[in-house]
Amino acid sequence: MHRMRTAIKNKTAKKVKMNPSDAIPLTQREEKSYTLQEWRERILRILLIIILVVGIPMYILNVPTFIETQNWVFLSVATIGFMFAVVITFLGKKIPYVFRAISVITISYLFSILSFQNYGLTGDARIWLLFFVVFTTIVLGLPAGLFASGIGTVTYVAAGYLILNEFF
């Protein structure tokens, strides 16, 4: 604005090219900043897409193994969990955010329990539990994350106890 006034007052001044956004005060043309909830929704949406992209080949490769070992419980939970993830991914915002977030969290926790049962303490259950705690904290906040951390700790200790006493 100042350049324009100077150019008008001083007739001998050079023509100044104005950017259209220069006419808008700086406070009105700031970039959109996302709220914490918008970031959480974006993270959840991206994670659901990643689950589909990575999950489809993993599911297809593991189904024959589950059938061969007659691991019907893991096969059932994996099938239902994966199909549920597909549905909540494609329906997106039609399903409430909290329901979508808790669904992904619950599926990961179920996978951790089944992994403890099938593969013991050396399997991938620790990764599922870590995902369960971290993702809960990201999408539902610190109090829920602390609660999930407690659940994860109790689950890990209980699994260790059950495995050592040969209940699994």
Side-chain angles (χ1 to χ4, degrees), residues 37 40 44 47-48 88 95-108 131 135-136 138-140:
Q37 186 59 35
R40 287 177 173 168
L44 178 61
L47 180 73
L48 284 167
I88 63 176
I95 299 174
Y97 168 79
V98 173
F99 183 78
R100 288 181 288 147
I102 290 175
S103 297
V104 173
I105 291 165
T106 303
I107 291 167
S108 70
F131 174 80
F135 191 67
T136 300
I138 290 171
V139 297
L140 296 179

Side-chain angles (χ1 to χ4, degrees), residues 6 34 39 60 62 99 109-110 138 140 147 153 166 168:
T6 305
Y34 294 104
W39 277 109
I60 291 170
N62 284 314
F99 183 78
Y109 183 70
L110 289 174
I138 290 171
L140 296 179
F147 185 72
T153 302
E166 299 178 6
F168 281 157

Side-chain angles (χ1 to χ4, degrees), residues 94-154:
K94 293 177 184 176
I95 299 174
Y97 168 79
V98 173
F99 183 78
R100 288 181 288 147
I102 290 175
S103 297
V104 173
I105 291 165
T106 303
I107 291 167
S108 70
Y109 183 70
L110 289 174
F111 280 172
S112 70
I113 291 173
L114 290 172
S115 293
F116 273 131
Q117 183 182 8
N118 290 313
Y119 308 114
L121 296 174
T122 60
D124 58 352
R126 295 170 295 169
I127 303 299
W128 284 111
L129 273 179
L130 179 64
F131 174 80
F132 166 70
V133 172
V134 171
F135 191 67
T136 300
T137 306
I138 290 171
V139 297
L140 296 179
L142 183 60
L146 292 173
F147 185 72
S149 181
I151 290 173
T153 302
V154 169

Side-chain angles (χ1 to χ4, degrees), residues 17 22 40 61 63-65 76 78-79 94 98 101 105 127 137 165:
K17 281 192 171 182
D22 288 345
R40 287 177 173 168
L61 291 173
V63 165
T65 305
S76 300
T79 302
K94 293 177 184 176
V98 173
I105 291 165
I127 303 299
T137 306
N165 290 308

Side-chain angles (χ1 to χ4, degrees), residues 23-79:
I24 302 170
L26 183 61
T27 56
Q28 291 178 1
R29 61 182 159 122
E30 292 176 356
E31 290 184 27
K32 180 182 179 191
S33 61
Y34 294 104
T35 64
L36 179 59
Q37 186 59 35
E38 289 171 330
W39 277 109
R40 287 177 173 168
E41 288 182 20
R42 292 177 78 190
I43 290 169
L44 178 61
R45 186 173 53 248
I46 291 168
L47 180 73
L48 284 167
I49 292 168
I50 291 171
I51 287 172
L52 291 185
V53 170
V54 174
I56 289 172
M58 287 178 57
Y59 179 77
I60 291 170
L61 291 173
N62 284 314
V63 165
T65 305
F66 292 147
I67 293 171
E68 184 180 298
T69 59
Q70 296 183 356
N71 193 346
W72 307 118
V73 175
F74 211 127
L75 178 63
S76 300
V77 171
T79 302

